[in-house]
């Protein structure tokens, strides 16, 4: 029997129409966003959302982000207050996910929120994602298009390597420009809480809505993705704050590295020390270095400032002990 392979389609009008048809029928479509590739399913369908969990091998208590085209659509599914409105006006569409009270009458599958009374929601800033949302006319639950806990996909072949026949269609829209998952901000309570750092920085958020606390999500019952201790992990163990690498380690470097020693293989996140470039390259480079014969991946220090906060968050989770 021939193994089923997903349709790998360049994202023109015919491909978008085909993908929308698959989504309306309860199937799964991987599509590019500005952050990473998402594994999309109809967020109003229990069957489709359950298929996402099954495809990813994802713990059922880990919620999914719902993707919508704009703020007006978000109000059908979530209670949007003044803080959320202010942030949406500046950062939507874009890499900011808001955790908001879920409207019981909105019609979202309860599986999306893992049984919670909140929903994580965002509007992606990518023409393919926006075209797909318009064509299918459904909110899309769309976690990263990879097996749960593994390195997030930033290119079409990453999706195929990780999910294979677990997805029906892959819209091949090239590399994702940001390359790091969205910032997640919890606005379901009186005090805003940063649950996951990303391209929209805490300092920028605070300038709009005032003080934001950090890291208050419950890892046993998270309100958003990316909260499990071990996450974004390649197969090889990850060793942080490395000044050099052993002969059987791969070396992930940052900034000028010509005098740094060691490593069976080496990739540089940004030779110029540009944190934006480093974020865009992070998951791609981790995948490239995660090869047979590599005992571990050593990682040079990344500055804990700006987008470096988000990069270090992903690296610490990648390096965390695995259950």
């Amino acid at each position: 029997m021939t193994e089923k392979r997903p349709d790998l389609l360049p994202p023109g009008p015919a491909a978008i129409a085909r993908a929308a048809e698959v989504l309306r029928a309860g199937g799964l479509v991987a599509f590019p966003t500005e952050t990473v590739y998402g594994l999309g399913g109809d967020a109003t369908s229990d069957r489709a959302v359950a298929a996402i969990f099954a495809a990813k091998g994802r713990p059922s208590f880990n919620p999914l982000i719902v993707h919508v085209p704009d703020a007006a659509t978000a109000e059908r599914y979530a209670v949007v207050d003044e803080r959320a409105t202010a942030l949406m006006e500046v950062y939507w569409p874009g890499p900011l996910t808001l955790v908001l009270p879920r409207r019981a009458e909105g019609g979202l599958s309860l599986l999306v929120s893992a049984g919670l009374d909140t929903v994580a929601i965002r509007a992606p800033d990518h023409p393919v994602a926006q075209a797909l949302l318009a064509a299918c006319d459904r909110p899309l639950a769309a976690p990263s298009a990879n097996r749960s806990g593994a390195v997030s996909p930033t290119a079409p072949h990453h999706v195929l390597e990780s999910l294979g026949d677990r997805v029906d269609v892959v819209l091949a829209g090239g590399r994702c420009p940001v390359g790091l998952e969205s910032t997640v901000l919890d606005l379901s309570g009186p005090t805003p809480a940063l649950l996951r750092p990303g391209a929209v920085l805490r300092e920028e958020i605070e300038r709009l809505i005032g003080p934001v606390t950090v890291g208050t999500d419950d890892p046993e019952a998270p309100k958003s993705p990316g909260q499990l201790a071990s996450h974004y992990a390649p197969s090889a163990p990850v060793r942080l704050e490395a000044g050099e690498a052993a002969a059987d380690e791969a070396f992930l470097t940052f900034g000028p590295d010509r005098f740094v020693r060691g490593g069976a293989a080496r990739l540089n996140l940004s030779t110029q020390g540009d944190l934006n470039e480093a974020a865009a390259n992070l998951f791609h480079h981790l995948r490239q270095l995660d090869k047979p014969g590599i005992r571990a991946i050593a990682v040079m220090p990344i500055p804990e400032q700006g987008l470096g906060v988000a990069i270090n968050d992903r690296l610490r989770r990648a390096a965390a002990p695995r259950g």
Side-chain angles (χ1 to χ4, degrees):
M1 181 180 295
T2 303
E3 181 183 358
K4 171 183 172 289
R5 298 292 293 171
D7 293 333
L8 182 65
L9 304 175
I16 295 292
R18 164 68 179 146
E21 178 185 15
V22 167
L23 289 166
R24 288 192 295 268
L28 303 183
V29 172
F31 62 93
T33 75
E34 77 279 22
T35 57
V36 299
Y37 270 73
L39 178 62
D42 181 356
T44 68
S45 165
D46 289 340
R47 172 189 161 201
V49 177
I52 292 173
F53 282 116
K56 286 180 65 68
R58 187 185 187 94
S60 60
F61 54 78
N62 200 1
L64 308 180
I65 293 175
V66 174
H67 290 64
V68 294
D70 50 37
T73 307
E75 293 194 51
R76 301 178 194 170
Y77 308 108
V79 178
V80 178
D81 63 12
E82 292 181 356
R83 301 170 302 174
T85 298
L87 290 165
M88 290 173 177
E89 287 177 350
V90 175
Y91 294 113
W92 274 27
L96 175 65
T97 294
L98 300 176
V99 177
L100 301 168
R102 178 175 50 80
R103 291 191 185 276
E105 72 278 12
L108 294 176
S109 167
L110 293 180
L111 292 174
V112 165
S113 300
L116 301 175
D117 292 329
T118 55
V119 61
I121 195 164
R122 87 176 185 100
D125 187 17
H126 194 288
V128 175
Q130 285 287 335
L132 184 61
L133 286 163
C136 71
D137 195 27
R138 308 281 172 86
L140 295 181
S144 56
N146 57 281
R147 295 289 285 173
S148 186
V151 179
S152 298
T154 56
H157 67 276
H158 297 162
V159 178
L160 297 177
E161 290 169 357
S162 191
L163 294 179
D165 61 1
R166 298 180 182 93
V167 60
D168 299 302
V169 173
V170 177
L171 293 174
R175 286 275 297 272
C176 299
V178 174
L180 204 65
E181 299 87 358
S182 60
T183 301
V184 178
L185 183 71
D186 183 4
L187 293 179
S188 63
T191 303
L194 184 68
L195 303 185
R196 182 175 72 185
V200 178
L201 305 182
R202 176 188 177 189
E203 295 84 352
E204 297 171 336
I205 294 169
E206 289 184 324
R207 281 197 287 269
L208 278 177
I209 64 170
V212 172
T213 63
V214 178
T216 59
D217 208 355
D218 178 358
E220 299 303 317
K223 293 181 179 179
S224 78
Q227 297 301 297
L228 301 181
S230 178
H231 208 71
Y232 314 113
S235 299
V238 174
R239 181 169 67 86
L240 303 180
E241 302 295 323
E244 59 183 34
D248 58 354
E249 290 183 316
F251 206 179
L252 186 61
T253 63
F254 176 78
D257 65 359
R258 58 184 296 191
F259 299 113
V260 180
R261 296 180 298 172
R266 179 185 296 197
L267 287 174
N268 194 313
L269 290 170
S270 172
T271 57
Q272 303 302 313
D274 184 321
L275 290 170
N276 290 329
E277 182 183 16
N281 285 330
L282 178 62
F283 292 136
H284 179 270
H285 284 9
L286 282 173
R287 284 177 173 272
Q288 291 295 106
L289 294 175
D290 191 22
K291 301 297 183 184
I294 295 297
R295 177 177 57 83
I297 300 174
V299 184
M300 282 182 65
I302 308 295
E304 191 78 21
Q305 62 188 44
L307 202 49
V309 174
I311 295 170
N312 283 315
D313 171 77
R314 305 313 193 271
L315 287 171
R316 282 190 289 269
R317 294 180 189 274
R322 305 175 191 185

